Structures are given as structure tokens and as C-alpha cells.
Amino acid sequence: MTQDVVTVRAAVVQAAPVSFDRERTLEKVRTLTMQAAEQGAQLVVFPEAFISAYPRGTAFGAVVGSRTPEGRDEYVRYWNSSVDVPGPAVDMLADIAGRAHVYLVIGVIERGGSTLYCTVLFFAPDGSYLEKHRKLMPTAAERLVWGFGDGSTLPVFETPLGRLGAVICWENYMPLMRMAMYSKGIQLYCAPTADMRDSWVASMQHIAMEGRCFVLACNQFTRRSDYPADYSLANDDPEKVLSRGGSCIISPLGQFLAGPDFTGECILTADLDMSDIRRGKYDFDVVGHYARPDVFRLLVNETSQPPVMPASADWKAPS
């Protein structure tokens, strides 16, 4: 595809959801998306698990060998505030993208069957839902409440702005995952996260330079007061910062175009000169002239992996 625009105005939204309240969070998404659009944004990125929350600090009543009734109730609250895809929340997000005339990339907790998934949804400026990416590998205790994605949701979209995709949080530390995305020609590399460490920012710089792409890293800024009063946390100081952000936008040569910001809720914007991708790949193209397929190759399975499949008409049970 020939890219239609030379400069893209992009925005990353660093904010807190109304935790475990899907409808109020959707209204906040509407407000913040419109604010970004008023600043000229053509692409707006929200953090990981923005709807309905990143459940930071809770154990859902689990230790090895047992679960508490209170923890199960906490999970039910999380489930009830999550998102069906497709469903009413997806319809509302599509409407928001259409009214703001932006590409919208947002982290949600998706209900799939009886399992929750950490998912990113993509929407187009015409108000259409494009597709989703489910996080392949939840990290550590996330595996208690989130299922695993598979290779069937690894989209990179051809858009007039450039090739758009997303890799969630510590998926970015999976070298083969990154290589798969580079092979799809990703140019607008969205990285919704819950990681607020200085090392995360360094990793985003590395990925921008490795992939010679623009990286839009987006995290929540949350305080204890952004969670319900009965949410189980060791620290009940309402002003306690639980996630300090660190959102940023980085060029293909590793330069900060916006952020990192650790001060509070904000909308970071930057004008992306898409020609910088070609300038960067002049001397380093990890899936082009700098690749060595005679030595290294990657096999990617992009088929869906359902646990139960109907038998074909000619299938016979083994004797």
C-alpha cells in the first residue's frame, strides 16, 4: 500500500478508568478521545486494560492450593464490568471513533466464553470496528484471571496513516513476537502497558530503533482513590499513586517526541514524519537487508486454536 499521508498526528492518553464501572469509563473514553481529536490527533491510543481496570495489587483471594469466597466475588465484579466483543461497549467505542474521526486503539478486558482476556480493540475513523488482538502471554499473577491469546489475533492494518498494530505490555519482551510484527511491516507500533518502570521506557526506545517504527507507549496514571473503597489493597491512602504512567511517543531513531510523563493524567501528542521510517531503514531493516534468513527463520502459527472442533463428515473414530 502506498501511504496516503506524510505526517501523522498521534496521541497517547495517560489516564485512569473509573475502575470496574464500564459505562462511566466509556464516557471518560469519549471525553478524552474528543479532547485528543480537538488537538488534531488522527490516531488515539489508550492504555492496557482501560476498560474496566487493571486490577493492580489484588490477589483475588488466591494462594497456592486455595481460593477465598471474597476473591471469587471480586472476580465476579471484574467479569461483570468487562466487555463482550462484539457487544454494546464495542458499538459505543466505534461511535466514539467515528464522531472523533480518529483511529482508536484501546485496551479492554474481553469476555470470551467463560474466560477473560486482556485485549486491544481497533476502530477506524468511519466508525467501524476493525479487529482485536488478545494478549498472548499474561504476566505472572495476571494468568490467574486472564486467558492466553493465540496467533489468530495478530493484526497489522493497512491504513492511510501507515501500518498500524499493537503489542501489549510484556509481550514486548518476546523477541519472536516483535519479529512477527516487524515482518508485517508495522509502522505505528502501539504498546499499551501497565509497566511504570524506567526500564520500560528504555525498552520502548530499543523497540523503536530495532523495528525502525514509531512506538506509542501508553500507561495508566492511577491513585488508590481510582479504585472502589472496598477494593482489597494493603495501602488505603487515597492519594497513593499505584501507577505513575510513563507514557511516551518515540521516533524510529529512538528520539522522544513526547514524554515520558510521570506527573499525572495527560494527553501526549506528536507529529510523526513517516519518512523517518525510510530514513531509519536505510541502514537497518531487521526483516530486510539486515536479516539473515539463511541462518535464522521464524515460523508463526496464525490459526485459531479452539479446544473443541467439530469432526469432518468423513472422520472416523479410531478403532
Side-chain angles (χ1 to χ4, degrees):
M1 175 182 177
T2 301
Q3 193 169 297
D4 294 351
V5 296
V6 175
T7 302
V8 173
R9 188 159 183 81
V12 294
V13 176
Q14 179 166 289
V18 184
S19 296
F20 311 117
D21 190 324
R22 181 179 54 241
E23 281 64 40
R24 289 175 65 196
T25 298
L26 283 165
E27 287 305 319
K28 187 166 185 177
V29 171
R30 183 184 299 279
T31 298
L32 293 170
T33 302
M34 295 307 298
Q35 289 176 1
E38 288 166 3
Q39 297 178 43
Q42 299 160 281
L43 167 62
V44 182
V45 183
F46 279 79
E48 178 182 19
F50 198 76
I51 305 172
S52 65
Y54 185 80
R56 186 177 299 278
T58 187
F60 287 94
V63 296
V64 174
S66 69
R67 268 70 58 198
T68 66
E70 293 79 11
R72 294 185 188 277
D73 289 343
E74 203 160 25
Y75 180 79
V76 168
R77 172 163 60 181
Y78 202 29
W79 170 272
N80 288 340
S81 62
S82 297
V83 173
D84 290 318
V85 182
V90 174
D91 294 340
M92 182 174 289
L93 290 167
D95 179 72
I96 291 169
R99 291 180 183 274
H101 304 293
V102 298
Y103 283 94
L104 176 61
V105 179
I106 184 167
V108 305
I109 301 306
E110 174 198 0
R111 294 191 292 228
S114 294
T115 296
L116 295 180
Y117 296 92
C118 180
T119 298
V120 166
L121 304 180
F122 300 85
F123 301 88
D126 63 0
S128 61
Y129 163 65
L130 295 175
E131 203 174 327
K132 67 186 177 186
H133 164 53
R134 283 179 174 172
K135 191 174 187 178
L136 286 177
M137 180 55 67
T139 300
E142 293 172 356
R143 297 175 202 171
L144 178 68
V145 289
W146 296 344
F148 293 20
D150 62 31
S152 67
T153 67
L154 300 176
V156 170
F157 303 96
E158 295 271 10
T159 80
L161 306 184
R163 294 184 181 91
L164 171 67
V167 181
I168 305 170
C169 204
W170 276 23
E171 288 185 318
N172 286 280
Y173 291 129
M174 300 170 71
L176 304 186
M177 172 75 169
R178 299 200 306 271
M179 191 65 171
M181 300 304 279
Y182 300 151
S183 73
K184 294 171 181 278
I186 191 169
Q187 298 172 308
L188 299 165
Y189 186 115
C190 302
T193 190
D195 193 331
M196 56 185 169
R197 300 170 304 159
D198 292 339
S199 57
W200 173 258
V201 176
S203 295
M204 295 299 97
Q205 270 192 298
H206 168 86
I207 289 170
M209 296 188 68
E210 179 181 69
R212 291 303 202 251
C213 52
F214 289 97
V215 171
L216 295 89
C218 193
N219 196 3
Q220 297 183 22
F221 186 95
T222 59
R223 292 185 170 88
R224 172 64 183 87
S225 58
D226 292 312
Y227 290 84
D230 62 349
Y231 184 67
S232 57
L233 279 174
N235 190 316
D236 276 332
D237 176 3
E239 294 305 309
K240 172 69 175 179
V241 174
L242 301 183
S243 176
R244 67 186 185 125
S247 302
C248 54
I249 301 174
I250 305 172
S251 81
L253 291 177
Q255 298 167 323
F256 288 103
L257 305 179
D261 189 291
F262 295 99
T263 62
E265 292 199 354
C266 61
I267 299 175
L268 301 175
T269 61
D271 292 320
L272 316 182
D273 181 352
M274 300 302 288
S275 295
D276 283 347
I277 294 171
R278 299 285 174 258
R279 294 183 179 103
K281 290 192 175 183
Y282 158 62
D283 58 357
F284 188 83
D285 183 355
V286 72
V287 292
H289 63 78
Y290 221 92
R292 284 295 305 276
D294 56 321
V295 181
F296 308 110
R297 288 194 178 184
L298 171 63
L299 176 66
V300 182
N301 182 359
E302 296 194 32
T303 59
S304 179
Q305 302 294 310
V308 178
M309 298 180 66
S312 61
D314 58 355
W315 180 85
K316 292 182 181 179
S319 57

